[in-house]
Amino acid sequence: MQFDDDARLDTSEVQDVRGSRVPGGKATVGGGIGGLIVLLLGLFLGVGPDQLGLTDGGGQPAATASGLGEVEQSCKSGQDANTRDDCRTVAVVNSVQDYWDQEFQRRGDTYTRSSTILFGEQVGTACGSATSAVGPFYCPGDRKVYLDLGFFDELRSKFGASGGPFAQAYVVAHEYGHHVQDLMGTLSRSQDGRTGADSNAVKVELQADCYAGVWARHATTTNDESTGRPLITSLTDADIADGLDAAAAVGDDRIQERFQGRVTPESWTHGSAEQRQSWFRQGYESGDLTRCDTFR
């Protein structure tokens, strides 16, 4: 996966709050075993931490800006994205949103851009306070994506994924799939209180995987506003394989087998490894969001 060295990154789409303090008190879930349980329940859930019981006792604070502003200072060009994880995240966010903006326009609709918040350890959101144990998530309350970059290391070390730049891109694109669902009115269908292989929660997650695949199909042909050229210049079969491997690594069956030694489909919230790969592949091979109807 390569980015155009001369492209200018739009850091306004990524707010870096790493190193800042969460206002309004600590989240109610810490690390260790409790954090691992939350991670199993909440990974890629696509909803805010309030629905995972992570809100603090007070209000619902928004994230505060970091005094460091590392992303704004360091992530200027596509060349930076080719060498740094945080800058790569900025570039992927830019590319994903460029694609959905153009796709919504093509369909006669308007895409509303969403910010990604990079945080460390814990963060306050419109959905409540959360720790990094929750994993990446989308908060419909403020329509923002939340990501601790340390998750990418855990994707390899805890979940056995092969890693690679596109595995990281898949994570980001999946969360923006939830934003697309939110704009289209389908995200709320996950909140019917059910779990299991046939639940709406699983169908919402699989659709977000499919949307990530749709973006990937168009990533190298979606022009960047700053140059009029695609921000992503190369996406190989090996990159797609890394994305598919990451999708499988966070399948409910893989996670359950790895951490509890047995598979219980009645408690699934995200879908099996095979399902997640299949729907990402469906989006990638078709390049058509209308082929992502997991509710049919």
Side-chain angles (χ1 to χ4, degrees), residues 108-120:
D109 208 340
T110 301
Y111 175 78
T112 303
R113 292 189 175 239
S114 166
S115 297
T116 286
I117 310 298
L118 299 183
F119 72 97

Side-chain angles (χ1 to χ4, degrees), residues 104-139:
F104 271 54
Q105 286 186 40
R106 188 184 70 82
R107 297 168 60 87
D109 208 340
T110 301
Y111 175 78
T112 303
R113 292 189 175 239
S114 166
S115 297
T116 286
I117 310 298
L118 299 183
F119 72 97
E121 297 185 3
Q122 58 185 25
V123 68
T125 82
C127 297
S129 296
T131 71
S132 56
V134 179
F137 65 92
Y138 173 74
C139 173

Side-chain angles (χ1 to χ4, degrees), residues 14-264:
V14 177
Q15 185 181 1
D16 187 358
V17 301
R18 292 172 293 177
S20 64
R21 182 179 61 85
V22 176
K26 296 182 179 179
T28 59
V29 175
I33 297 299
L36 179 58
I37 292 171
V38 171
L39 183 61
L40 296 181
L41 292 174
L43 184 69
F44 291 8
L45 192 61
V47 297
D50 57 328
Q51 290 152 303
L52 298 175
L54 302 188
T55 51
D56 57 29
Q60 296 179 343
T64 56
S66 169
L68 299 176
E70 189 171 349
V71 161
E72 185 176 357
Q73 294 177 25
S74 302
C75 302
K76 303 292 187 182
S77 69
Q79 185 175 17
D80 298 323
N82 284 321
T83 57
R84 292 175 55 122
D85 282 352
D86 52 0
C87 299
R88 183 182 301 117
T89 299
V90 174
V92 171
V93 169
N94 290 169
S95 174
V96 168
Q97 299 213 95
D98 283 345
Y99 169 70
W100 287 116
D101 188 36
Q102 293 169 29
E103 176 62 17
F104 271 54
Q105 286 186 40
R106 188 184 70 82
R107 297 168 60 87
D109 208 340
T110 301
Y111 175 78
T112 303
R113 292 189 175 239
S114 166
S115 297
T116 286
I117 310 298
L118 299 183
F119 72 97
E121 297 185 3
Q122 58 185 25
V123 68
T125 82
C127 297
S129 296
T131 71
S132 56
V134 179
F137 65 92
Y138 173 74
C139 173
D142 54 26
R143 287 186 164 175
K144 294 179 181 179
V145 171
Y146 290 85
L147 173 64
D148 183 340
L149 292 176
F151 172 76
F152 296 140
D153 292 329
E154 293 185 343
L155 193 59
R156 293 187 298 269
S157 63
K158 286 187 178 180
F159 298 96
S162 59
F166 190 76
Q168 300 174 13
Y170 157 74
V171 172
V172 174
H174 173 99
E175 296 306 332
Y176 274 91
H178 287 312
H179 180 56
V180 171
Q181 290 171 323
D182 197 13
L183 296 177
M184 298 178 72
T186 55
L187 182 60
S188 61
R189 296 179 69 173
S190 68
Q191 305 308 307
D192 61 357
R194 297 191 304 118
T195 60
D198 294 323
S199 67
N200 280 354
V202 167
K203 292 173 183 178
V204 162
E205 293 302 323
L206 297 178
Q207 187 175 65
D209 283 333
C210 189
Y211 286 168
V214 170
W215 160 74
R217 166 55 61 190
H218 298 282
T220 58
T221 58
T222 297
N223 289 334
D224 177 65
E225 290 184 359
S226 69
T227 63
R229 303 187 303 270
L231 176 56
I232 297 176
T233 59
S234 174
L235 198 58
T236 67
D237 290 343
D239 291 321
I240 298 302
D242 283 343
L244 287 167
D245 184 69
V250 291
D252 283 321
D253 53 342
R254 292 276 186 93
I255 292 176
Q256 289 177 342
E257 181 67 34
R258 193 176 189 91
F259 292 103
Q260 67 184 30
R262 66 187 187 281
V263 176
T264 54

